[in-house]
């Protein structure tokens, strides 16, 4: 598990840009375009990755999400690195992984 890091406020224009990119990406039919949009927002994505439609990747701290090569993320998965606390927890999905719609609670 990645170590928590202190949360800093993001520039409102960057957050707005990431929210718009994420909104378009979540509803985009083309997987390659969806990945391109998530990369534009700052998510690190490897090769040969599938991200399902309606998948939400954190739009305030997308640069803290890393997805390795040969990963499949199912439809309607949510990856969030922050909550209302003062820390964020980076997410790393290692190569050759499959992520399904499940709930993970961090303390």
């Amino acid at each position: 598990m990645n170590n928590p890091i202190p949360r800093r406020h993001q520039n409102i224009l960057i957050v707005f840009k990431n929210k718009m990119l994420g909104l378009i990406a979540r509803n985009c039919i083309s997987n390659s375009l969806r990945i391109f949009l998530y990369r534009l927002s700052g998510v690190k994505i490897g090769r040969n990755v599938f991200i399902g439609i309606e998948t939400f990747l954190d739009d305030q701290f997308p640069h803290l999400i890393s997805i390795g090569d040969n990963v499949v993320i199912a439809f309607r998965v949510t990856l969030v690195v922050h909550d209302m606390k003062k820390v964020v927890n980076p997410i790393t999905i290692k190569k050759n992984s499959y992520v399904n719609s499940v709930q993970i609670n961090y303390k």
Side-chain angles (χ1 to χ4, degrees):
M1 188 165 108
N2 295 325
N3 294 327
I5 57 176
R7 179 179 176 169
R8 295 192 325 243
H9 289 285
Q10 301 293 321
N11 179 306
I12 191 72
L13 295 176
I14 293 173
V15 172
F16 180 76
K17 175 200 76 155
N18 291 340
K19 285 186 181 294
M20 291 300 103
L21 289 171
L23 182 65
I24 296 167
R26 281 193 300 277
N27 297 293
C28 182
I29 293 174
S30 167
N31 183 58
S32 57
L33 181 56
R34 193 167 35 254
I35 288 173
F36 173 75
L37 293 170
Y38 282 130
R39 283 179 176 149
L40 269 181
S41 71
V43 179
K44 296 172 217 63
I45 301 175
R47 293 180 304 212
N48 196 29
V49 172
F50 174 81
I51 299 176
I53 294 175
E54 296 182 18
T55 293
F56 178 81
L57 303 183
D58 196 306
D59 53 17
Q60 289 192 25
F61 301 93
H63 59 282
L64 297 178
I65 299 175
S66 296
I67 301 170
D69 296 338
N70 305 314
V71 170
V72 174
I73 299 177
F75 298 91
R76 297 189 181 130
V77 169
T78 299
L79 299 177
V80 180
V81 301
H82 78 285
D83 57 13
M84 297 306 293
K85 297 182 181 178
K86 301 265 188 225
V87 296
V88 293
N89 288 296
I91 295 174
T92 300
I93 300 173
K94 296 188 177 183
K95 66 180 182 176
N96 303 318
S97 296
Y98 177 84
V99 180
N100 198 0
S101 300
V102 297
Q103 178 177 347
I104 299 174
N105 294 324
Y106 289 103
K107 293 184 178 184

